[in-house]
Amino acid sequence: MDETSDQRAMRASDADREQVADVLRQAASDGRLSLTELEERIEALYAAKTYADLEPVVGDLPGDLPLPPSAALARRAAAAPAPSQSPSARVGGVPSSRSAKVVFSGIQRRGDWVVPQYYRVKAVFGGADLDLREATLEVAEVEIEIKAVFGGVNIIVPPDLRVSVDGDGIFGAFNDDTNRAPQPGPGAPVVRITGKAVFGGVNVQRKSAGER
């Protein structure tokens, strides 16, 4: 949590509320607030528990008013830029499983699902299709470890995820087609794809939603 967030979470004291109440009364005396607004703000003020709760009470008052430290702090917190958000809303969630194994069969993971921090996929004489375009990630950087033995694994990633493919092919191959399009910025969530393909193949593609 950053310093501004820490300050906003601090509990306001009775003295803080009284100081802010004096400022509100002065603002009403100056004609900045109507009596109705003053009553509403006083009521909100005495219900406030933290400095963050003081923001709507003093946030629109002019900067030249001699605000007490508590009110000034609340206004600075209100004016401070919000913490930067992840460029993707894909991070967060609880995965339903952390591994998948297919033998002489196949699996598909598509739609709304959660990719665990470490996801192990083993395909023996079988196939797996992993579509991450509507998925979320358990954490901002996940690893999908593939072991394909006489099998194949296809992975589709969306444009807003960074991808790193580092697998070994033994009479098989790891095909990374994601480099045909530029990677997103350095703050984007990361998917690392590792493992081995033994007489099998792993194919990684980047596609937008709806793209076949």
Side-chain angles (χ1 to χ4, degrees), residues 100-171:
K101 182 178 180 180
V102 290
V103 180
F104 291 101
S105 61
I107 62 166
Q108 289 185 338
R109 295 285 185 271
R110 61 179 55 182
D112 184 9
W113 66 291
V114 180
V115 183
Q117 182 175 4
Y118 299 104
Y119 191 41
R120 306 291 183 255
V121 178
K122 185 175 183 179
V124 181
F125 290 99
D129 292 316
L130 309 178
D131 190 337
L132 277 58
R133 287 177 291 183
E134 297 180 30
T136 55
L137 312 183
E138 183 181 20
V139 295
E141 182 172 329
V142 302
E143 178 181 346
I144 301 176
E145 182 182 8
I146 307 293
K147 186 173 183 181
V149 182
F150 291 97
V153 177
N154 297 311
I155 302 175
I156 299 175
V157 295
D160 60 335
L161 296 182
R162 291 182 66 84
V163 182
S164 171
V165 179
D166 185 18
D168 297 324
I170 304 174
F171 296 102

Side-chain angles (χ1 to χ4, degrees), residues 2-9 41 50-61 67 69-83:
D2 60 26
E3 182 179 358
T4 300
S5 297
D6 288 339
Q7 292 173 334
R8 295 177 70 249
R41 295 194 186 206
T50 66
Y51 285 142
D53 296 333
L54 297 179
E55 291 175 12
V57 177
V58 298
D60 61 349
L61 295 181
L67 293 176
S70 57
L73 172 61
R75 182 157 61 191
R76 287 198 302 272

Side-chain angles (χ1 to χ4, degrees), residues 34-56:
S34 69
L35 290 179
T36 300
E37 289 173 320
L38 175 62
E39 292 175 1
E40 291 173 348
R41 295 194 186 206
I42 289 291
E43 182 178 352
L45 169 64
Y46 285 108
K49 292 186 169 71
T50 66
Y51 285 142
D53 296 333
L54 297 179
E55 291 175 12

